[in-house]
Each structure stands twice: as C-alpha cells, then as structure tokens.
Amino acid sequence: MKKIIFMLTTAFLLAACTGNKSETTQVSLEPDVPDSAFQYKVDRFADIEILRYHVTGFNNLPLQQKELVYYLSQAALEGRDILWDQHNRYNLTIRRVCEGVYENYMGDKSSEDWKNFETYLKQIWMANGIHHHYSEDKIMPKFPRDYFVSIVKGVDPGRMPFRDGMAADETLNEILSVMFDPNVMPKRMNQASGADIVATSAVNFYEGVTQKEVEDFYNAMKDPNDNTPVSYGLNSKLVKVDGQVTEQVWKLGGMYDRAIERIIGWLEKAAGVAENEQQRGIINTLISYYQSGDLKTFDDYSVQWVNDTTSRVDFINGFIENYTDPLGMKATWESVVNFKSEEASKRTQLISENAQWFEDNSPIDDKFKKEEVKGVSAKVITAAMLGGDCYPATPIGINLPNANWIRRDHGSKSVTIDNITSAYDAAAQGSGFNEEFMWSDAERELSKKYGSLTDNLHTDLHECLGHGSGKLLPGVDGDALRAYGSPIEETRADLFALYYLADPKLAELGLLPDNEAYKAQYYKYIMNGAMTQLTRIQPGKDIEQAHMRNRSLIANWVLENGKADSVAVLNQRDGKTFLVVNDYAKLRELFGRLLAEVQRIKSEGDFEAGKKLVETYGVKVNQPLHKEILSRYEALELAPYKGFVNPVYKLVTDADGKVTDVTVSYDEDYVTQQMRYSRQYSVLPLKN
Ligand code: ZN
C-alpha cells in the first residue's frame, strides 16, 4: 500500500490512482526544453527500457530551493551501495569486478559473449544486485563461466577493484558460484511456505540465524501494551556473534558507517539552506537518527515530516520500505528528492473548489446526492532525484510514513509523482501500440494531442470528487455489496470522471482547451476496458483485479447498451478487432445512465444487482478476442519493465566560492551514469 508501483508498458493502463500535470492550463516560463521535445528514451536491454524524466519547473525555483535540492540529491546518491549490500552480501564484489572488466578489458568487444556480459551488467545495475528487481529471481548470465574467468584475468590486476587485499583467484572463488550456479541463492526473498524463509532468502538482513531465532529475538523486545511502538529491527542486520544473536545497527559508527557519514555531511549542508525552521528541524532530527540509530528518533522524525505540508521542497531519505525482508521488518535504503508541482496542485484545487457544483449536476437521483460535499486536494510532486530503492525502477506515488501508530495519530502524506508518469506516457507514444490497436489516424491524433491531459484529469476527477460523491440511504450497510463493493466503487468513481470529462464546465474552468478533448479519453478508456487491458490476463483466466473488473464492466456495458444505435462497436479489419466510436455524445449519455444505476446500487446496498453487473460485464473474457490481443501485443516486443536515469545537477559558484546557481542537465546515458555513480558514490568496503 505504501508505494504505487508502475511497471507496465502502456499509458492505457495508467488510469488508476495517479496524478499528473496539466500541459495546457499553464505556460511554463522556464528557458528549458518543452516536455514535447524532451528525449525520454535512453536504453533498451533484456526486459528493461531505461527512460529519462524531465524536472519541469526546476529552473524556476528560487536559488535557495535549488541549492536545497542539490544537497538533498547528493545525499540521495550516497546510499546507493547500502542498498546493493542489503540485497546480497556478494553484490558489491560482483558489481565492482564486472565494472573493472567493463572499463579496462582490452580484448574483443564485438563477440556475443561480451555483448551478453554488457547486458548482464546493465541488468544488475537495474536491479541493484544480482536478483531481478521485480521477480526477485537470480539473473542468470548468458555468457559462460569460463569466459567470465578469462576476461577477469585478462585485465591488469592493478586496474581491478580487488580492494581489501583480495587477489583475483580468491575473489573469483567467492563469486563464481553465486553468479553462475542456479542453485546458489536463487531468490532474493523466498516466501515459499514450509521453508525457513530467513535462511533461504539471499538478502543480507540476517546471517547465521534461523527464522525462529529472529522471531524470538524481536518478540522479546515487544511490549504488547505499548501504544506507540517503534519499528523493531527496521535499521539493522541480525547476526550471531559467539553464539549470541546480535543487531548490527546501520548508523554512524555502525554498519554502513562510511556511506552514512557522507549522507549526514550532505544533510548538514541541506539544513543550512532549509526553506524554514520546521524543515531545518526535520533534517536535523534525521541527522541525529543516523548518528544514534535510535528508532524513537526515527519516529520523531517521521512525525515532524508528516506534519510539514508547507515546504515546497520535500524528500525521503532513509531505511523506509520492508518489502524485501521475508519477515517484513528490515527496511531497504531509499531516497526521493522532490518539489511540489504548483501547476498540477492548482488543477486539483480548482476541481475541489467546485466540488458542490459537480455533485449538484450529477446525473444520479437527487436522493442519493450529498447536500454538502468536500473535494480532496492531493499533493502532486515533481521528482528531482531518485536514489537507493527508488532508482532506477521507481514508484509513481508514495504514501508514508509506514508506522501504523503514526498514521493513526498523525495521518500520512500521499503524493503522486507527475513527471515520472509523464515520462511513461511520452515513452508509450511511438511504441507502436497506438498504431496496432487504434482504428485510424483520427484516434491516434486525438491521443497524441489530448491523451496525457485527459488521463490526468480523469484521475483527478476520480480521486478528488468521484469517490467522495453520493451518499448511502439511511440504514444501508457500507459493506452490503461485499466482494462486489470494490469493483462497484471504482466503477462509480470512473463513471463520475468519464461523465464530467465531456462537460462544457471543464473548458469553462480552463481545465480543458475545448469541448473535443474528452474524446481522446473516451476512446482510450473503452479500447482498454474491452480489449487492451487483457494483455495483463493469462490465457484462460478470468479478470480478478478490482480496477480491471471495473474497466471491463464499463466498456462492455456501453458496447452492449449502445448496440441498437451503433454508438460504439468492435469492428473487424484484416482479421483484427478494433474499437470504432460513432457517437461520442450518446456515449456520454450511456456513461450517465450507468452512473445513475451504479449509484443506486451503492446507495441502496443492492447486492444482487451489483453482483449481476460485475459478473455479466466485468469478469469473463472473450477467449478468441483475448488470444488475438495477446498475439498482437507480443509482436510489439515492448519492454515490460522501465527504469530511469537521473538528471545531473551542478553548482555554479562565483570567484569567492559563493553559490550563484544550480544547473540541471539531461545528457547522461545509462552506462555513463552507473559508472560515474560507482566512482563517486562508492565508499563502502566489499564486505560490510
Ligand atoms: Zn479509485
């Protein structure tokens, strides 16, 4: 729940719960490339595509905020090796040996083996280790073990990173089976029941201890009466020393000391240019947590952080998410530096301010309307730097802190990262997807012109208004629809958004440029719901996921109910199926009709009607169509996973060394960046 992870290939799957920026309501003043001219694509290998994100608006920040972003960005990069070592204790050795070869090998670099070696290095950079970032399976090299030995030995040992006094043979002995034997450390995190998930996971959170010993160790610490417990074990490795189970804490003077020392150094500089006293206090509390390793101090920091809603620049830096620990206690290191996107936040604010108008004009029965409705204004941010577990693969939204008692007593901050979403969107243009699945150039043009904008508006309307609109009749149980509650609720929020996208009110408010733009979203939505989202379903399976059921429900319902008037139909051409929309105005009427019915079902708690709608239109898959879509999609050879390179920031100083500006550039490619990070931000020993 904490991270909204986007790892699919097309913008069509984006209509979930994300925010984004408007491209038409505001004109940016910055002397920077426009988003449309920005080079998003960087590299493509294995199952990965590497993109670049545009830090829109950075040049318009005041100097002090730019400087703050700079120092926090440096702090974000210093933790990279911590994550590598957390993922597996051989990762740093393997990476440094591979990088040493990559940089210094003088032999044949045109062979298939060398190309495969290069791809392997790119893959482990993407995963921050030898296990796939998503599947967590060990990445098996596609070059032979003997070849690897030969290229390692083919490099002058003086140029190799055999630090810590290790010779080539000794180093190779240690890593060869880890790299090449499929049975050694096959999974980063093993969750298979029946196994000792601690002993069989390759992560470096535990050494020499059993699952039982870990559980006993932490259970002894816990006080069941503590209403505000710290996150036990969050920032340490658990090991056995002389038969005793002991924590090695990740802090200054503890494990990862050298990297943490440098993180602290940059945070101190950041504190010096903080926007306000509150923010300075937050940074200083984080520093004292890194110094002491005290988890109570980490909670203090988290409470202060969640309460800061005014600073423009914000950041995450620390041991945050516990997905990679089989026991869900130990947190990987990560960082995101960002600033509030004023444009996008203005848009959500405008929508929220008009919430009552939307409620009053909704096509639902008056008795289901709220007399007083309040819109939600979510914060939309622009990422400026990604580090640790947020790089190169990154989430599109974050909701923190994780400690349940802090969420209970102080709430949480929920943000969507608009420039990452834009990069996904832009990369999907020209992927061949629209060419394959859209009926004609007219639809492709609409998508190009309005796709991103209407996607974002759809999300805003869904999040800020859709879920909050309407009311239950007195006495109706909120859980009356049971398992159908969730798809019905998402259907309701989506229909609210779809219905209003075509309303002249949006152009009137300046949210859309004209009364045609909505057609881009209408076409895309039905194409996705009825056809292209099926690429995520295994052959022969039903649709399970609530959002996917809801999209299928809406698309198939309007196709069926618009049949008599040919409002929208699935046409055949050259043995392929395409959506054709003949009457967009009538399509809107259908959305309105379905919204009224879905609201009635919700308001009255009509379980049978809800079940029937979902089961009839949202669950079953048309098998021949599914097969056709899958094979057309496969032929496009799209990369299922995306990663990012970061921009490069540089301090500009005058003759006295005073900072006069911070510049941002985007010309670094993936390999150059990874190699540079390994030179500039790599201070940990091979073994920690
Ligand atoms: Zn929703």
Side-chain angles (χ1 to χ4, degrees):
M1 274 304 289
K2 309 141 194 174
K3 267 188 197 173
I4 304 156
I5 298 187
F6 180 76
M7 48 91 208
L8 291 145
T9 35
T10 81
F12 296 88
L13 311 171
L14 254 177
C17 297
T18 69
N20 210 318
K21 70 177 186 307
S22 157
E23 284 174 7
T24 54
T25 51
Q26 291 280 315
V27 178
S28 174
L29 299 169
E30 63 173 8
D32 191 1
V33 285
D35 284 353
S36 57
F38 190 75
Q39 288 299 314
Y40 287 97
K41 298 189 178 200
V42 179
D43 209 337
R44 173 80 170 86
F45 52 89
D47 54 355
I48 310 291
E49 181 173 28
I50 300 291
L51 306 175
R52 190 178 270 126
Y53 59 94
H54 191 197
V55 191
T56 315
F58 178 79
N59 290 339
N60 293 340
L61 294 177
L63 176 58
Q64 191 185 350
Q65 290 178 13
K66 286 185 187 174
E67 218 180 323
L68 179 58
V69 166
Y70 178 82
Y71 296 131
L72 292 171
S73 293
Q74 293 295 321
L77 296 173
E78 294 286 1
R80 176 173 177 250
D81 281 6
I82 295 178
L83 179 71
W84 278 75
D85 190 72
Q86 286 182 313
H87 277 163
N88 185 258
R89 62 184 186 276
Y90 298 104
N91 272 340
L92 286 175
T93 308
I94 293 171
R95 190 191 79 205
R96 285 178 188 158
V97 169
C98 288
E99 287 171 348
V101 170
Y102 190 71
E103 218 169 19
N104 299 299
Y105 184 65
M106 305 295 274
D108 180 12
K109 292 189 177 176
S110 62
S111 71
E112 202 59 23
D113 283 341
W114 178 266
K115 294 217 170 82
N116 287 332
F117 166 70
E118 185 178 35
T119 299
Y120 177 76
L121 184 54
K122 288 181 177 184
Q123 285 178 287
I124 66 172
W125 280 331
M126 171 72 184
N128 292 293
I130 58 170
H131 298 89
H132 193 276
H133 75 285
Y134 191 76
S135 74
E136 311 210 31
D137 293 327
K138 188 158 83 179
I139 300 163
M140 294 308 295
K142 291 209 162 63
F143 49 91
R145 181 179 168 132
D146 290 349
Y147 174 76
F148 184 64
V149 172
S150 77
I151 55 176
V152 171
K153 295 199 163 178
V155 174
D156 173 1
R159 293 190 166 275
M160 290 293 281
F162 301 137
R163 299 179 204 178
D164 308 354
M166 290 166 84
D169 281 323
E170 199 185 324
T171 306
L172 280 169
N173 276 343
E174 207 179 68
I175 60 175
L176 282 177
S177 62
V178 177
M179 284 175 68
F180 290 92
D181 185 338
N183 299 312
V184 176
M185 300 182 161
K187 273 245 166 218
R188 190 168 71 189
M189 178 174 72
N190 182 25
Q191 283 188 306
S193 58
D196 181 327
I197 54 178
V198 167
T200 57
S201 293
V203 282
N204 189 23
F205 295 138
Y206 308 97
E207 203 169 331
V209 288
T210 63
Q211 181 177 349
K212 170 109 185 17
E213 284 169 328
V214 178
E215 282 161 358
D216 289 349
F217 182 86
Y218 286 109
N219 284 337
M221 280 188 181
K222 286 175 192 163
D223 171 3
N225 297 318
D226 188 351
N227 210 19
T228 59
V230 299
S231 306
Y232 292 101
L234 188 77
N235 64 337
S236 63
K237 178 177 175 178
L238 205 64
V239 297
K240 212 180 259 177
V241 181
D242 302 330
Q244 281 291 98
V245 179
T246 315
E247 273 189 333
Q248 290 178 345
V249 179
W250 305 325
K251 60 168 188 163
L252 190 69
M255 194 169 168
Y256 303 138
D257 167 65
R258 280 150 80 178
I260 289 172
E261 185 183 8
R262 288 174 59 141
I263 293 168
I264 291 173
W266 291 115
L267 289 177
E268 282 168 345
K269 283 183 178 289
V273 292
E275 284 176 56
N276 51 58
E277 282 315 306
Q278 186 185 16
Q279 190 180 51
R280 198 184 322 279
I282 294 167
I283 299 172
N284 285 330
T285 309
L286 180 61
I287 291 172
S288 59
Y289 160 64
Y290 273 129
Q291 288 167 334
S292 68
D294 184 347
L295 288 169
K296 272 258 180 273
T297 312
F298 178 64
D299 282 351
D300 289 346
Y301 154 78
S302 299
V303 169
Q304 290 175 43
W305 177 81
V306 82
N307 285 324
D308 178 12
T309 51
T310 52
S311 300
R312 174 116 195 239
V313 175
D314 204 354
F315 71 104
I316 294 157
N317 182 303
F319 303 101
I320 308 291
E321 303 287 5
N322 55 19
Y323 304 117
T324 314
D325 176 8
L327 298 181
M329 280 188 290
K330 311 288 175 193
T332 50
W333 192 91
E334 71 175 36
S335 184
V336 176
V337 183
N338 64 81
F339 54 91
K340 191 171 167 189
S341 167
E342 303 288 4
E343 288 180 21
S345 300
K346 258 182 229 157
R347 195 182 63 217
T348 52
Q349 201 187 331
L350 192 58
I351 291 172
S352 290
E353 282 167 6
N354 287 279
Q356 194 65 51
W357 183 90
F358 286 100
E359 184 73 1
D360 294 345
N361 289 279
S362 169
I364 63 175
D365 194 313
D366 281 342
K367 67 176 184 264
F368 305 138
K369 287 181 184 171
K370 269 194 182 127
E371 292 76 21
E372 211 178 319
V373 61
K374 261 190 88 181
V376 182
S377 195
K379 180 165 124 172
V380 182
I381 62 170
T382 302
M385 185 59 73
L386 309 169
D389 217 357
C390 293
Y391 169 88
T394 197
I396 52 167
I398 298 177
N399 188 330
L400 290 171
N402 286 332
N404 283 324
W405 76 264
I406 300 179
R407 297 172 78 87
R408 181 194 67 209
D409 295 353
H410 301 275
S412 66
K413 259 198 247 183
S414 184
V415 299
T416 54
I417 311 178
D418 70 342
N419 57 334
I420 297 295
T421 315
S422 304
Y424 281 125
D425 248 342
Q429 300 286 344
S431 66
F433 189 90
N434 291 358
E435 287 66 24
E436 177 59 38
F437 289 107
M438 288 184 173
W439 173 246
S440 73
D441 283 342
E443 289 80 14
R444 285 186 278 274
E445 278 306 309
L446 271 176
S447 165
K448 205 170 165 190
K449 211 165 157 194
Y450 303 118
S452 187
L453 174 62
T454 53
D455 257 359
N456 298 336
L457 257 183
H458 179 273
T459 304
D460 294 339
L461 290 165
H462 174 118
E463 297 292 343
C464 300
L465 301 179
H467 281 307
S469 102
K471 66 175 183 190
L472 299 181
L473 290 185
V476 171
D477 177 2
D479 291 328
L481 302 177
R482 289 177 271 164
Y484 300 101
S486 179
I488 286 290
E489 176 57 18
E490 294 307 327
T491 299
R492 199 174 69 88
D494 263 0
L495 285 167
F496 192 96
L498 287 166
Y499 179 78
Y500 275 116
L501 266 173
D503 200 292
K505 181 79 176 175
L506 294 195
E508 210 179 283
L509 288 171
L511 293 165
L512 283 178
D514 54 43
N515 293 327
E516 299 294 304
Y518 76 93
K519 294 177 182 173
Q521 179 70 14
Y522 274 27
Y523 186 85
K524 193 168 174 174
Y525 191 94
I526 298 179
M527 181 183 78
N528 182 44
M531 294 170 42
T532 50
Q533 74 163 355
L534 296 176
T535 55
R536 295 161 73 185
I537 302 287
Q538 300 288 324
K541 293 264 162 59
D542 286 343
I543 302 172
E544 304 272 359
Q545 208 268 343
H547 288 90
M548 292 184 68
R549 284 188 165 185
N550 118 236
R551 292 173 201 142
S552 169
L553 189 168
I554 293 174
N556 289 312
W557 188 92
V558 295
L559 284 172
E560 169 98 4
N561 286 274
K563 219 179 223 163
D565 300 329
S566 291
V567 176
V569 290
L570 294 182
N571 265 5
Q572 298 289 316
R573 186 177 63 205
D574 307 329
K576 292 176 175 179
T577 309
F578 295 90
L579 170 71
V580 179
V581 176
N582 295 314
D583 191 335
Y584 281 97
K586 280 219 171 100
L587 192 50
R588 184 185 187 215
E589 281 174 32
L590 287 171
F591 287 142
R593 241 175 74 198
L594 184 56
L595 175 57
E597 170 62 2
V598 167
Q599 183 63 54
R600 183 199 65 74
I601 290 170
K602 168 107 182 173
S603 292
E604 295 178 353
D606 187 344
F607 175 82
E608 285 306 327
K611 177 180 173 182
K612 194 167 172 220
L613 257 189
V614 175
E615 293 290 347
T616 310
Y617 299 104
V619 176
K620 291 280 173 263
V621 178
N622 173 333
Q623 296 300 330
L625 178 64
H626 190 197
K627 211 172 146 214
E628 175 202 319
I629 299 292
L630 284 178
S631 84
R632 286 164 69 186
Y633 184 75
E634 222 172 79
L636 295 174
E637 293 185 337
L638 300 177
Y641 305 102
K642 311 277 189 201
F644 287 88
V645 291
N646 282 314
V648 182
Y649 297 95
K650 286 206 171 85
L651 285 185
V652 182
T653 50
D654 64 15
D656 305 323
K658 196 172 150 296
V659 176
T660 56
D661 198 8
V662 182
T663 61
V664 58
S665 60
Y666 305 96
D667 40 16
E668 200 165 43
D669 69 30
Y670 179 62
V671 173
T672 312
Q673 180 156 96
Q674 293 287 348
M675 292 299 280
R676 181 171 68 83
Y677 285 0
S678 292
R679 278 193 308 276
Q680 290 183 359
Y681 307 99
S682 192
V683 292
L684 291 182
L686 293 176
K687 289 292 175 54
N688 290 278

